[in-house]
Amino acid sequence: QVQMEESGGGLVQAGGSLTLSCVASGRSTYGMGWVREAPGKAREFVASITWYSGSTSYSNSVKGRFTISGDSAQNTVYLHMNDLKPEDTAVYSCAVEVYKHPGYYTDFDRFDYWGQGTQVTVNT
């Protein structure tokens, strides 16, 4: 069983910044990341990091504004969000890769589980 403890969500004005944190426990991870779900919209990939390569990946909508980082030894991941926009409003969930997938498992497909999420609301 894997548990994810997410924190850092909140209310922020457009153009502001926010940092999300997640700690996974119970299982070691090969990578971690974030997905988000806005009301009336499908869940979408946001960002990921692969521990053994250090490579990162971002969705086009957040590229250049969000930065993912973490500590593999602590199974901890962060999402540094800058220049937030109203369209970023969503429930952000920590996602984990607990099974080692081939390299062609990318972005959303690589995640095995995700947490309950933390609400991020961006006001105009």
Side-chain angles (χ1 to χ4, degrees), residues 14-60:
S17 299
L18 206 61
T19 297
L20 307 181
S21 301
C22 175
V23 179
S25 61
R27 297 282 298 274
S28 61
T29 61
Y30 294 98
M32 297 180 68
W34 297 89
V35 299
R36 67 184 182 184
E37 185 174 11
K41 299 177 65 177
R43 183 178 293 108
E44 66 173 335
F45 167 82
V46 177
S48 68
I49 184 168
T50 301
W51 298 132
Y52 40 85
S53 67
S55 64
T56 58
S57 182
Y58 300 91
S59 68
N60 290 332

mmCIF file of all heavy atoms in Angstrom, residues 14-60:
data_model
loop_
_atom_site.group_PDB
_atom_site.id
_atom_site.type_symbol
_atom_site.label_atom_id
_atom_site.label_comp_id
_atom_site.label_asym_id
_atom_site.label_seq_id
_atom_site.Cartn_x
_atom_site.Cartn_y
_atom_site.Cartn_z
ATOM 1 N N ALA A 14 -4.366 35.841 -9.248
ATOM 2 C CA ALA A 14 -3.721 35.641 -10.538
ATOM 3 C C ALA A 14 -2.370 36.346 -10.576
ATOM 4 O O ALA A 14 -2.237 37.485 -10.147
ATOM 5 C CB ALA A 14 -4.621 36.140 -11.661
ATOM 6 N N GLY A 15 -1.385 35.638 -11.097
ATOM 7 C CA GLY A 15 -0.034 36.159 -11.143
ATOM 8 C C GLY A 15 0.808 35.771 -9.948
ATOM 9 O O GLY A 15 2.032 35.983 -9.959
ATOM 10 N N GLY A 16 0.180 35.193 -8.953
ATOM 11 C CA GLY A 16 0.882 34.795 -7.755
ATOM 12 C C GLY A 16 1.552 33.445 -7.879
ATOM 13 O O GLY A 16 1.543 32.810 -8.934
ATOM 14 N N SER A 17 2.125 33.009 -6.767
ATOM 15 C CA SER A 17 2.869 31.756 -6.733
ATOM 16 C C SER A 17 2.398 30.877 -5.589
ATOM 17 O O SER A 17 1.870 31.353 -4.586
ATOM 18 C CB SER A 17 4.367 32.025 -6.580
ATOM 19 O OG SER A 17 4.876 32.785 -7.657
ATOM 20 N N LEU A 18 2.619 29.598 -5.758
ATOM 21 C CA LEU A 18 2.237 28.622 -4.754
ATOM 22 C C LEU A 18 3.120 27.395 -4.929
ATOM 23 O O LEU A 18 3.499 27.056 -6.053
ATOM 24 C CB LEU A 18 0.767 28.250 -4.923
ATOM 25 C CG LEU A 18 -0.025 27.747 -3.712
ATOM 26 C CD1 LEU A 18 -0.065 28.794 -2.611
ATOM 27 C CD2 LEU A 18 -1.443 27.388 -4.141
ATOM 28 N N THR A 19 3.441 26.733 -3.830
ATOM 29 C CA THR A 19 4.242 25.521 -3.888
ATOM 30 C C THR A 19 3.505 24.371 -3.224
ATOM 31 O O THR A 19 3.073 24.473 -2.074
ATOM 32 C CB THR A 19 5.604 25.716 -3.203
ATOM 33 O OG1 THR A 19 6.350 26.719 -3.894
ATOM 34 C CG2 THR A 19 6.404 24.418 -3.226
ATOM 35 N N LEU A 20 3.362 23.290 -3.950
ATOM 36 C CA LEU A 20 2.735 22.086 -3.436
ATOM 37 C C LEU A 20 3.803 21.082 -3.021
ATOM 38 O O LEU A 20 4.878 21.022 -3.619
ATOM 39 C CB LEU A 20 1.824 21.447 -4.486
ATOM 40 C CG LEU A 20 0.767 22.338 -5.126
ATOM 41 C CD1 LEU A 20 -0.065 21.525 -6.116
ATOM 42 C CD2 LEU A 20 -0.118 22.975 -4.072
ATOM 43 N N SER A 21 3.490 20.289 -2.011
ATOM 44 C CA SER A 21 4.404 19.269 -1.529
ATOM 45 C C SER A 21 3.680 17.939 -1.416
ATOM 46 O O SER A 21 2.475 17.887 -1.160
ATOM 47 C CB SER A 21 4.971 19.645 -0.158
ATOM 48 O OG SER A 21 5.654 20.873 -0.205
ATOM 49 N N CYS A 22 4.436 16.872 -1.588
ATOM 50 C CA CYS A 22 3.875 15.543 -1.437
ATOM 51 C C CYS A 22 4.935 14.590 -0.926
ATOM 52 O O CYS A 22 6.063 14.586 -1.428
ATOM 53 C CB CYS A 22 3.317 15.028 -2.766
ATOM 54 S SG CYS A 22 2.724 13.316 -2.713
ATOM 55 N N VAL A 23 4.569 13.775 0.044
ATOM 56 C CA VAL A 23 5.428 12.726 0.556
ATOM 57 C C VAL A 23 4.713 11.398 0.379
ATOM 58 O O VAL A 23 3.582 11.232 0.848
ATOM 59 C CB VAL A 23 5.775 12.934 2.037
ATOM 60 C CG1 VAL A 23 6.664 11.805 2.534
ATOM 61 C CG2 VAL A 23 6.460 14.271 2.246
ATOM 62 N N ALA A 24 5.363 10.486 -0.305
ATOM 63 C CA ALA A 24 4.818 9.148 -0.493
ATOM 64 C C ALA A 24 5.454 8.193 0.493
ATOM 65 O O ALA A 24 6.658 8.246 0.751
ATOM 66 C CB ALA A 24 5.053 8.672 -1.925
ATOM 67 N N SER A 25 4.655 7.310 1.035
ATOM 68 C CA SER A 25 5.154 6.338 1.996
ATOM 69 C C SER A 25 4.523 4.976 1.750
ATOM 70 O O SER A 25 3.495 4.863 1.086
ATOM 71 C CB SER A 25 4.877 6.796 3.430
ATOM 72 O OG SER A 25 3.485 6.939 3.656
ATOM 73 N N GLY A 26 5.151 3.964 2.290
ATOM 74 C CA GLY A 26 4.656 2.606 2.134
ATOM 75 C C GLY A 26 5.323 1.846 1.007
ATOM 76 O O GLY A 26 5.466 0.620 1.079
ATOM 77 N N ARG A 27 5.705 2.533 -0.024
ATOM 78 C CA ARG A 27 6.387 1.959 -1.171
ATOM 79 C C ARG A 27 7.428 2.935 -1.680
ATOM 80 O O ARG A 27 7.230 4.155 -1.601
ATOM 81 C CB ARG A 27 5.420 1.633 -2.309
ATOM 82 C CG ARG A 27 4.356 0.586 -1.986
ATOM 83 C CD ARG A 27 4.929 -0.820 -2.023
ATOM 84 N NE ARG A 27 5.445 -1.180 -3.336
ATOM 85 C CZ ARG A 27 4.708 -1.684 -4.333
ATOM 86 N NH1 ARG A 27 3.404 -1.905 -4.145
ATOM 87 N NH2 ARG A 27 5.261 -1.969 -5.489
ATOM 88 N N SER A 28 8.514 2.436 -2.188
ATOM 89 C CA SER A 28 9.470 3.290 -2.867
ATOM 90 C C SER A 28 8.929 3.624 -4.253
ATOM 91 O O SER A 28 8.068 2.922 -4.782
ATOM 92 C CB SER A 28 10.834 2.615 -2.970
ATOM 93 O OG SER A 28 10.744 1.410 -3.705
ATOM 94 N N THR A 29 9.430 4.693 -4.836
ATOM 95 C CA THR A 29 8.927 5.134 -6.129
ATOM 96 C C THR A 29 10.057 5.269 -7.133
ATOM 97 O O THR A 29 11.196 5.569 -6.776
ATOM 98 C CB THR A 29 8.203 6.483 -6.007
ATOM 99 O OG1 THR A 29 9.121 7.480 -5.540
ATOM 100 C CG2 THR A 29 7.039 6.379 -5.032
ATOM 101 N N TYR A 30 9.729 5.036 -8.384
ATOM 102 C CA TYR A 30 10.673 5.252 -9.476
ATOM 103 C C TYR A 30 10.533 6.661 -10.036
ATOM 104 O O TYR A 30 11.444 7.159 -10.699
ATOM 105 C CB TYR A 30 10.462 4.222 -10.583
ATOM 106 C CG TYR A 30 10.786 2.819 -10.154
ATOM 107 C CD1 TYR A 30 9.785 1.947 -9.748
ATOM 108 C CD2 TYR A 30 12.106 2.367 -10.137
ATOM 109 C CE1 TYR A 30 10.082 0.659 -9.335
ATOM 110 C CE2 TYR A 30 12.413 1.085 -9.730
ATOM 111 C CZ TYR A 30 11.397 0.232 -9.328
ATOM 112 O OH TYR A 30 11.704 -1.046 -8.921
ATOM 113 N N GLY A 31 9.418 7.253 -9.760
ATOM 114 C CA GLY A 31 9.170 8.611 -10.186
ATOM 115 C C GLY A 31 7.918 9.139 -9.522
ATOM 116 O O GLY A 31 7.103 8.375 -8.998
ATOM 117 N N MET A 32 7.774 10.435 -9.538
ATOM 118 C CA MET A 32 6.600 11.065 -8.955
ATOM 119 C C MET A 32 6.189 12.244 -9.820
ATOM 120 O O MET A 32 6.952 12.693 -10.678
ATOM 121 C CB MET A 32 6.880 11.529 -7.523
ATOM 122 C CG MET A 32 7.197 10.404 -6.552
ATOM 123 S SD MET A 32 7.518 10.966 -4.854
ATOM 124 C CE MET A 32 5.882 11.545 -4.371
ATOM 125 N N GLY A 33 4.998 12.728 -9.572
ATOM 126 C CA GLY A 33 4.538 13.858 -10.348
ATOM 127 C C GLY A 33 3.209 14.380 -9.852
ATOM 128 O O GLY A 33 2.793 14.113 -8.722
ATOM 129 N N TRP A 34 2.555 15.137 -10.721
ATOM 130 C CA TRP A 34 1.304 15.779 -10.379
ATOM 131 C C TRP A 34 0.321 15.704 -11.528
ATOM 132 O O TRP A 34 0.704 15.821 -12.700
ATOM 133 C CB TRP A 34 1.538 17.253 -10.022
ATOM 134 C CG TRP A 34 2.407 17.458 -8.823
ATOM 135 C CD1 TRP A 34 3.764 17.574 -8.794
ATOM 136 C CD2 TRP A 34 1.965 17.559 -7.467
ATOM 137 N NE1 TRP A 34 4.206 17.744 -7.503
ATOM 138 C CE2 TRP A 34 3.111 17.742 -6.669
ATOM 139 C CE3 TRP A 34 0.714 17.521 -6.853
ATOM 140 C CZ2 TRP A 34 3.046 17.882 -5.285
ATOM 141 C CZ3 TRP A 34 0.647 17.657 -5.482
ATOM 142 C CH2 TRP A 34 1.803 17.834 -4.712
ATOM 143 N N VAL A 35 -0.935 15.508 -11.175
ATOM 144 C CA VAL A 35 -2.039 15.616 -12.114
ATOM 145 C C VAL A 35 -3.032 16.597 -11.516
ATOM 146 O O VAL A 35 -2.966 16.915 -10.331
ATOM 147 C CB VAL A 35 -2.713 14.257 -12.387
ATOM 148 C CG1 VAL A 35 -1.710 13.277 -12.997
ATOM 149 C CG2 VAL A 35 -3.306 13.678 -11.100
ATOM 150 N N ARG A 36 -3.951 17.083 -12.336
ATOM 151 C CA ARG A 36 -4.949 18.002 -11.814
ATOM 152 C C ARG A 36 -6.292 17.760 -12.493
ATOM 153 O O ARG A 36 -6.364 17.240 -13.600
ATOM 154 C CB ARG A 36 -4.522 19.462 -12.005
ATOM 155 C CG ARG A 36 -4.470 19.934 -13.454
ATOM 156 C CD ARG A 36 -3.941 21.363 -13.529
ATOM 157 N NE ARG A 36 -3.911 21.865 -14.898
ATOM 158 C CZ ARG A 36 -3.422 23.040 -15.255
ATOM 159 N NH1 ARG A 36 -2.900 23.851 -14.330
ATOM 160 N NH2 ARG A 36 -3.442 23.411 -16.528
ATOM 161 N N GLU A 37 -7.349 18.153 -11.791
ATOM 162 C CA GLU A 37 -8.691 17.993 -12.305
ATOM 163 C C GLU A 37 -9.511 19.228 -11.955
ATOM 164 O O GLU A 37 -9.702 19.543 -10.784
ATOM 165 C CB GLU A 37 -9.348 16.737 -11.744
ATOM 166 C CG GLU A 37 -10.711 16.448 -12.338
ATOM 167 C CD GLU A 37 -11.293 15.122 -11.886
ATOM 168 O OE1 GLU A 37 -10.731 14.515 -10.949
ATOM 169 O OE2 GLU A 37 -12.291 14.687 -12.471
ATOM 170 N N ALA A 38 -9.984 19.905 -12.972
ATOM 171 C CA ALA A 38 -10.834 21.068 -12.796
ATOM 172 C C ALA A 38 -12.295 20.648 -12.935
ATOM 173 O O ALA A 38 -12.603 19.656 -13.604
ATOM 174 C CB ALA A 38 -10.490 22.133 -13.825
ATOM 175 N N PRO A 39 -13.215 21.389 -12.320
ATOM 176 C CA PRO A 39 -14.638 21.050 -12.434
ATOM 177 C C PRO A 39 -15.092 20.975 -13.882
ATOM 178 O O PRO A 39 -14.824 21.879 -14.677
ATOM 179 C CB PRO A 39 -15.326 22.201 -11.698
ATOM 180 C CG PRO A 39 -14.306 22.694 -10.731
ATOM 181 C CD PRO A 39 -13.000 22.554 -11.446
ATOM 182 N N GLY A 40 -15.756 19.883 -14.223
ATOM 183 C CA GLY A 40 -16.260 19.708 -15.569
ATOM 184 C C GLY A 40 -15.229 19.329 -16.603
ATOM 185 O O GLY A 40 -15.555 19.231 -17.791
ATOM 186 N N LYS A 41 -14.003 19.111 -16.179
ATOM 187 C CA LYS A 41 -12.943 18.761 -17.104
ATOM 188 C C LYS A 41 -12.292 17.450 -16.688
ATOM 189 O O LYS A 41 -12.346 17.048 -15.523
ATOM 190 C CB LYS A 41 -11.884 19.859 -17.172
ATOM 191 C CG LYS A 41 -12.401 21.200 -17.655
ATOM 192 C CD LYS A 41 -11.319 22.262 -17.632
ATOM 193 C CE LYS A 41 -10.207 21.950 -18.604
ATOM 194 N NZ LYS A 41 -9.174 23.028 -18.632
ATOM 195 N N ALA A 42 -11.671 16.801 -17.640
ATOM 196 C CA ALA A 42 -10.985 15.545 -17.360
ATOM 197 C C ALA A 42 -9.680 15.798 -16.619
ATOM 198 O O ALA A 42 -9.058 16.850 -16.744
ATOM 199 C CB ALA A 42 -10.723 14.798 -18.660
ATOM 200 N N ARG A 43 -9.282 14.805 -15.870
ATOM 201 C CA ARG A 43 -8.003 14.884 -15.190
ATOM 202 C C ARG A 43 -6.881 14.953 -16.222
ATOM 203 O O ARG A 43 -6.903 14.252 -17.229
ATOM 204 C CB ARG A 43 -7.822 13.666 -14.278
ATOM 205 C CG ARG A 43 -6.546 13.680 -13.450
ATOM 206 C CD ARG A 43 -6.456 12.451 -12.530
ATOM 207 N NE ARG A 43 -7.471 12.470 -11.492
ATOM 208 C CZ ARG A 43 -8.533 11.670 -11.460
ATOM 209 N NH1 ARG A 43 -8.713 10.771 -12.421
ATOM 210 N NH2 ARG A 43 -9.405 11.762 -10.475
ATOM 211 N N GLU A 44 -5.908 15.811 -15.968
ATOM 212 C CA GLU A 44 -4.829 15.981 -16.924
ATOM 213 C C GLU A 44 -3.463 15.929 -16.252
ATOM 214 O O GLU A 44 -3.309 16.246 -15.067
ATOM 215 C CB GLU A 44 -4.978 17.300 -17.689
ATOM 216 C CG GLU A 44 -4.831 18.542 -16.831
ATOM 217 C CD GLU A 44 -4.819 19.819 -17.644
ATOM 218 O OE1 GLU A 44 -4.459 19.781 -18.833
ATOM 219 O OE2 GLU A 44 -5.176 20.878 -17.073
ATOM 220 N N PHE A 45 -2.499 15.540 -17.021
ATOM 221 C CA PHE A 45 -1.121 15.492 -16.577
ATOM 222 C C PHE A 45 -0.582 16.897 -16.402
ATOM 223 O O PHE A 45 -0.869 17.789 -17.200
ATOM 224 C CB PHE A 45 -0.285 14.728 -17.603
ATOM 225 C CG PHE A 45 1.194 14.876 -17.427
ATOM 226 C CD1 PHE A 45 1.878 14.109 -16.503
ATOM 227 C CD2 PHE A 45 1.908 15.781 -18.189
ATOM 228 C CE1 PHE A 45 3.243 14.238 -16.339
ATOM 229 C CE2 PHE A 45 3.269 15.922 -18.039
ATOM 230 C CZ PHE A 45 3.932 15.148 -17.112
ATOM 231 N N VAL A 46 0.219 17.105 -15.361
ATOM 232 C CA VAL A 46 0.839 18.397 -15.115
ATOM 233 C C VAL A 46 2.352 18.313 -15.247
ATOM 234 O O VAL A 46 2.958 19.025 -16.052
ATOM 235 C CB VAL A 46 0.474 18.954 -13.727
ATOM 236 C CG1 VAL A 46 1.197 20.267 -13.471
ATOM 237 C CG2 VAL A 46 -1.035 19.132 -13.607
ATOM 238 N N ALA A 47 2.976 17.445 -14.448
ATOM 239 C CA ALA A 47 4.429 17.359 -14.454
ATOM 240 C C ALA A 47 4.876 16.057 -13.820
ATOM 241 O O ALA A 47 4.141 15.442 -13.041
ATOM 242 C CB ALA A 47 5.050 18.544 -13.705
ATOM 243 N N SER A 48 6.092 15.647 -14.135
ATOM 244 C CA SER A 48 6.659 14.447 -13.545
ATOM 245 C C SER A 48 8.172 14.562 -13.459
ATOM 246 O O SER A 48 8.792 15.369 -14.164
ATOM 247 C CB SER A 48 6.279 13.194 -14.342
ATOM 248 O OG SER A 48 6.895 13.196 -15.616
ATOM 249 N N ILE A 49 8.747 13.735 -12.598
ATOM 250 C CA ILE A 49 10.194 13.647 -12.469
ATOM 251 C C ILE A 49 10.579 12.186 -12.320
ATOM 252 O O ILE A 49 9.911 11.432 -11.611
ATOM 253 C CB ILE A 49 10.712 14.492 -11.284
ATOM 254 C CG1 ILE A 49 12.238 14.469 -11.231
ATOM 255 C CG2 ILE A 49 10.111 14.025 -9.963
ATOM 256 C CD1 ILE A 49 12.826 15.508 -10.286
ATOM 257 N N THR A 50 11.637 11.790 -13.007
ATOM 258 C CA THR A 50 12.155 10.431 -12.938
ATOM 259 C C THR A 50 13.411 10.429 -12.092
ATOM 260 O O THR A 50 14.366 11.150 -12.391
ATOM 261 C CB THR A 50 12.474 9.893 -14.341
ATOM 262 O OG1 THR A 50 11.280 9.915 -15.137
ATOM 263 C CG2 THR A 50 12.998 8.467 -14.267
ATOM 264 N N TRP A 51 13.402 9.610 -11.039
ATOM 265 C CA TRP A 51 14.496 9.683 -10.074
ATOM 266 C C TRP A 51 15.844 9.280 -10.646
ATOM 267 O O TRP A 51 16.846 9.970 -10.444
ATOM 268 C CB TRP A 51 14.179 8.811 -8.853
ATOM 269 C CG TRP A 51 12.969 9.214 -8.081
ATOM 270 C CD1 TRP A 51 11.966 8.402 -7.650
ATOM 271 C CD2 TRP A 51 12.631 10.535 -7.618
ATOM 272 N NE1 TRP A 51 11.023 9.112 -6.958
ATOM 273 C CE2 TRP A 51 11.405 10.435 -6.922
ATOM 274 C CE3 TRP A 51 13.238 11.788 -7.723
ATOM 275 C CZ2 TRP A 51 10.779 11.536 -6.339
ATOM 276 C CZ3 TRP A 51 12.609 12.879 -7.149
ATOM 277 C CH2 TRP A 51 11.408 12.750 -6.464
ATOM 278 N N TYR A 52 15.904 8.152 -11.367
ATOM 279 C CA TYR A 52 17.197 7.626 -11.787
ATOM 280 C C TYR A 52 17.836 8.404 -12.933
ATOM 281 O O TYR A 52 19.044 8.286 -13.152
ATOM 282 C CB TYR A 52 17.111 6.140 -12.139
ATOM 283 C CG TYR A 52 15.880 5.700 -12.878
ATOM 284 C CD1 TYR A 52 15.792 5.799 -14.262
ATOM 285 C CD2 TYR A 52 14.800 5.149 -12.182
ATOM 286 C CE1 TYR A 52 14.656 5.376 -14.922
ATOM 287 C CE2 TYR A 52 13.667 4.729 -12.844
ATOM 288 C CZ TYR A 52 13.595 4.845 -14.213
ATOM 289 O OH TYR A 52 12.474 4.411 -14.872
ATOM 290 N N SER A 53 17.071 9.185 -13.638
ATOM 291 C CA SER A 53 17.627 10.003 -14.708
ATOM 292 C C SER A 53 17.600 11.487 -14.377
ATOM 293 O O SER A 53 18.369 12.264 -14.952
ATOM 294 C CB SER A 53 16.879 9.766 -16.022
ATOM 295 O OG SER A 53 15.551 10.251 -15.940
ATOM 296 N N GLY A 54 16.725 11.873 -13.478
ATOM 297 C CA GLY A 54 16.565 13.272 -13.153
ATOM 298 C C GLY A 54 15.784 14.052 -14.181
ATOM 299 O O GLY A 54 15.661 15.279 -14.075
ATOM 300 N N SER A 55 15.255 13.372 -15.164
ATOM 301 C CA SER A 55 14.522 14.046 -16.221
ATOM 302 C C SER A 55 13.154 14.504 -15.722
ATOM 303 O O SER A 55 12.541 13.873 -14.868
ATOM 304 C CB SER A 55 14.369 13.147 -17.440
ATOM 305 O OG SER A 55 13.590 12.002 -17.132
ATOM 306 N N THR A 56 12.693 15.592 -16.280
ATOM 307 C CA THR A 56 11.389 16.139 -15.934
ATOM 308 C C THR A 56 10.548 16.318 -17.177
ATOM 309 O O THR A 56 11.066 16.428 -18.286
ATOM 310 C CB THR A 56 11.518 17.487 -15.210
ATOM 311 O OG1 THR A 56 12.226 18.414 -16.048
ATOM 312 C CG2 THR A 56 12.275 17.325 -13.902
ATOM 313 N N SER A 57 9.245 16.357 -16.977
ATOM 314 C CA SER A 57 8.325 16.542 -18.080
ATOM 315 C C SER A 57 7.180 17.431 -17.626
ATOM 316 O O SER A 57 6.742 17.354 -16.479
ATOM 317 C CB SER A 57 7.791 15.190 -18.561
ATOM 318 O OG SER A 57 6.919 15.339 -19.665
ATOM 319 N N TYR A 58 6.689 18.268 -18.536
ATOM 320 C CA TYR A 58 5.625 19.199 -18.221
ATOM 321 C C TYR A 58 4.587 19.222 -19.328
ATOM 322 O O TYR A 58 4.909 19.019 -20.500
ATOM 323 C CB TYR A 58 6.162 20.622 -18.048
ATOM 324 C CG TYR A 58 7.184 20.782 -16.954
ATOM 325 C CD1 TYR A 58 8.538 20.642 -17.219
ATOM 326 C CD2 TYR A 58 6.794 21.083 -15.651
ATOM 327 C CE1 TYR A 58 9.484 20.788 -16.218
ATOM 328 C CE2 TYR A 58 7.726 21.235 -14.645
ATOM 329 C CZ TYR A 58 9.071 21.087 -14.927
ATOM 330 O OH TYR A 58 10.005 21.242 -13.932
ATOM 331 N N SER A 59 3.363 19.499 -18.945
ATOM 332 C CA SER A 59 2.348 19.740 -19.953
ATOM 333 C C SER A 59 2.605 21.093 -20.595
ATOM 334 O O SER A 59 3.217 21.984 -19.988
ATOM 335 C CB SER A 59 0.947 19.708 -19.339
ATOM 336 O OG SER A 59 0.744 20.811 -18.475
ATOM 337 N N ASN A 60 2.148 21.249 -21.814
ATOM 338 C CA ASN A 60 2.376 22.508 -22.523
ATOM 339 C C ASN A 60 1.736 23.696 -21.808
ATOM 340 O O ASN A 60 2.260 24.814 -21.873
ATOM 341 C CB ASN A 60 1.843 22.413 -23.949
ATOM 342 C CG ASN A 60 2.671 21.496 -24.822
ATOM 343 O OD1 ASN A 60 3.862 21.322 -24.602
ATOM 344 N ND2 ASN A 60 2.035 20.910 -25.823
#
